[in-house]
Amino acid sequence: FPVTIHKLSEMISLNYDRGLTAFVVGDSPMRLKPTTVDLSDWGSNVNSVVEDNDFGLVSRDEYLGVYYPAGYTSDNAGNNIVVPASHMALRTIALNDQVGYPWFAPAGTRRGGVTNATATGYISDEGEFVSIALNEGQRNTLYLNNINPITYLNGAGIVVYGQKTRARNASALDRVNVARLVVYLRSQLKNLAKPFIFEPNDKITRDEIKQQVESLMIELVGLRAIYDYLVLYRDW
C-alpha cells in the first residue's frame, strides 16, 4: 500500500480491517528540509499535531514504513517530475522480492538500489527541486525517528538506507523485513487453512493441518526466513 502523508492513519486502519495482511509504505512531505532540526521536529512531532501532515508525523504501527526524501525522475512523456519517496521505496521492495524474499531487508547496496529516480531531494520555498545526498548525521536523525533515508552513496548510486517500521515499541517488528515476514506468514496460513473449513474438528483434521504447517515452516527455515519453529494445536 503506497500512501501520502495525510492518509497514513486511514491506510493503517484498512490494513487492520483486512487482518494485517499488507505493509503500508508512507511518504514524508516533499517540502521537508533536510536539516537535522527540521527532520527531528517532524519525525518526533514536536508541534504536537493530532494527525499526520507537513508539520508532524503522528502515525505509529508495526506494519508501516516511512521514507525520506522525494525523488527526481521523468514521466512516460519524458517530462522531468518530482515523485514521493514511496515511488522509489515500492520499486525497491519489488526488486528485493525478485532477487530475494519478503523477509530479506529491502535496503543497502545489495537489494536497496533505486532504479527509478536520478536524484533525491526536496522542493524549496520557491517551488524548485533541490538535490541532496543525505550525510551521516541526517541519516542518523531520520533513523532515530524511525524514518528510512534514501540517499546517494559513492560507488552504489541512490540507495534505500534504512528498514525501520514505525513500531510503537522496540521489538522484532520494528524492522521492515520481519514485519513483512509476519504478513507473508499470515497470508500463507490463511490459504493453508481454507480447505479445512467445515471439516470435522477432530484429531485427524488437526494432524493434517499440523503436517501442512510444519511443511511450510521447514521450507521457510531452508529459505532463511526463520531459524526454528514449534507447531502446537490445542484439543478442544
Side-chain angles (χ1 to χ4, degrees):
F1 286 171
V3 59
T4 60
I5 184 64
H6 302 286
K7 301 296 183 181
L8 284 177
S9 61
E10 295 179 19
M11 296 302 290
I12 292 171
S13 296
L14 176 60
N15 194 23
Y16 275 85
D17 289 343
R18 55 174 283 163
L20 294 175
T21 52
F23 186 81
V24 180
V25 176
D27 291 313
S28 49
M30 288 191 179
R31 294 184 181 273
L32 179 60
K33 294 181 174 63
T35 69
T36 54
V37 173
D38 288 332
L39 296 175
S40 179
D41 286 354
W42 183 75
S44 62
N45 190 22
V46 72
N47 294 315
S48 299
V49 299
V50 297
E51 62 178 11
D52 303 300
N53 57 38
D54 290 355
F55 304 102
L57 178 60
V58 179
S59 291
R60 285 194 171 275
D61 192 75
E62 289 77 6
Y63 302 97
L64 163 68
V66 176
Y67 295 79
Y68 175 88
Y72 191 72
T73 186
S74 58
D75 61 17
N76 292 334
N79 302 308
N80 293 327
I81 56 172
V82 181
V83 293
S86 61
H87 174 87
M88 298 174 285
L90 284 169
R91 182 174 176 84
T92 300
I93 289 173
L95 292 175
N96 169 81
D97 293 359
Q98 285 184 1
V99 301
Y101 301 96
W103 48 88
F104 285 11
T109 57
R110 285 192 172 184
R111 294 178 304 276
V114 173
T115 60
N116 59 346
T118 58
T120 57
Y122 68 100
I123 298 176
S124 68
D125 294 337
E126 291 74 31
E128 299 291 332
F129 179 81
V130 180
S131 178
I132 58 171
L134 298 173
N135 59 40
E136 185 176 356
Q138 293 164 328
R139 297 197 301 267
N140 289 342
T141 298
L142 289 165
Y143 223 50
L144 286 172
N145 287 281
N146 297 327
I147 303 167
N148 298 309
I150 304 175
T151 190
Y152 176 84
L153 296 178
N154 289 330
I158 301 175
V159 174
V160 175
Y161 212 63
Q163 68 132 358
K164 276 196 174 183
T165 68
R166 289 282 296 171
R168 297 174 180 84
N169 303 297
S171 73
L173 287 172
D174 63 13
R175 294 294 185 270
V176 171
N177 67 316
V178 178
R180 296 188 68 226
L181 169 60
V182 174
V183 167
Y184 177 85
L185 279 171
R186 280 200 187 95
S187 299
Q188 293 299 308
L189 292 172
K190 182 178 180 180
N191 291 333
L192 183 151
K194 283 181 180 178
F196 297 97
I197 297 174
F198 305 117
E199 290 301 299
N201 185 10
D202 57 16
K203 188 176 186 303
I204 294 175
T205 300
R206 290 192 290 270
D207 285 345
E208 289 179 353
I209 296 174
K210 185 173 184 288
Q211 183 179 15
Q212 292 205 23
V213 173
E214 286 180 336
S215 296
L216 171 64
M217 294 303 170
I218 290 172
E219 180 182 5
L220 290 177
V221 170
L223 295 175
R224 302 166 67 189
I226 56 176
Y227 297 109
D228 203 355
Y229 66 91
L230 179 64
V231 180
L232 299 173
Y233 70 77
R234 187 172 181 177
D235 291 321
W236 296 95

